[in-house]
Structures are given as structure tokens and as C-alpha cells.
Amino acid sequence: MTDHTRSSNSRIADAAGDAVLTATAKRLTAWAGSLGVVGKLGEDEFAVVVRIGRSRRQVRLAQLVRMLAEPVNADGESVNVAASVGAASPDILGTTDLSLLQRAADAALYDGKHFGHAVLAAVRHKAVPSINGRRAGRPGTHSLGRAA
């Protein structure tokens, strides 16, 4: 493979990655609605804060998983997308502390990774060690832990 080919492949992959991230942000924003908040946590990680009534929670989370799994068009090519979703709710976890909710959602996400459905955090997910609301041991948390 020549340097030119590698460079071209890298540009194509970068363009596809950018298209997926942009589509994901738009989909999350649409799903959260005007009262929700969407933020990018890391390279390919997002967080959403939105109120969902208990009776609609499973339906809305299933809708989110379907929306995120839709292929993305990147320069005329269809790119398949995989996403894992973890969610946390104050009524289940007994807290409104966003750091604890984020930690529990992150732990739930990892419990359900690769299963194709959202996982709603249980009380046991609150006890997962974290650094700045992220599960300890995740990329980027090692240096934060030492500095803190």
C-alpha cells in the first residue's frame, strides 16, 4: 500500500467517522427534544439529560436505540452504525446527583454492550467506582485519577 493510498483511506475513514458523529448528535438532539440537553463526553461518547415518565421509559429508550442504529450516509456510501445505550433514572437510583446518575448509566451501558438494547441502571450500578462520573479504568480516567 502506498502512502497516497493510506492517506486516501484515512481521509475516507475520517469523513465517514465525522458523518457518523454528526448524525449521532443530530439524532440525540431530536430524540431529547427541546427540553433535553445533549453533550459530547469524548471521542465517540455522548450524554443526554432528559425527563421521561416511568410509563414511557422503555418505549423511548427502544426508540433511541433504533434511531442510533440507522445507517448513515457518508459521501454516498451507507455506513452501518452500532451504539450502546445506558440510562439512569432518579426514581430508581434515589438521587438527583448528575455525577452518580452518569456513573450508573455508564455502568449500565457496559452491562448491555453488544446486546442491541438500552439498559436501565439499577441501584447496584451506583456503587461502580468512577472518576468524574465515568467508570474507573475507561480511557482518559487514569491520569485524572492520579491528578485528583
Side-chain angles (χ1 to χ4, degrees), residues 78-143:
S78 183
V79 178
N80 290 324
V81 179
S84 298
V85 175
S89 180
D91 65 310
I92 293 172
L93 300 180
T95 184
T96 57
D97 180 318
L98 286 178
S99 181
L100 288 174
L101 291 166
Q102 181 180 343
R103 175 191 327 161
D106 186 57
L109 177 147
Y110 275 84
D111 276 358
K113 204 158 182 76
H114 309 297
F115 290 108
H117 63 276
V119 175
L120 189 57
V123 173
R124 68 181 168 79
H125 290 109
K126 279 192 341 186
V128 174
S130 74
I131 299 167
N132 296 331
R134 300 180 77 202
R135 186 177 49 80
R138 292 190 66 186
T141 59
H142 294 294
S143 61

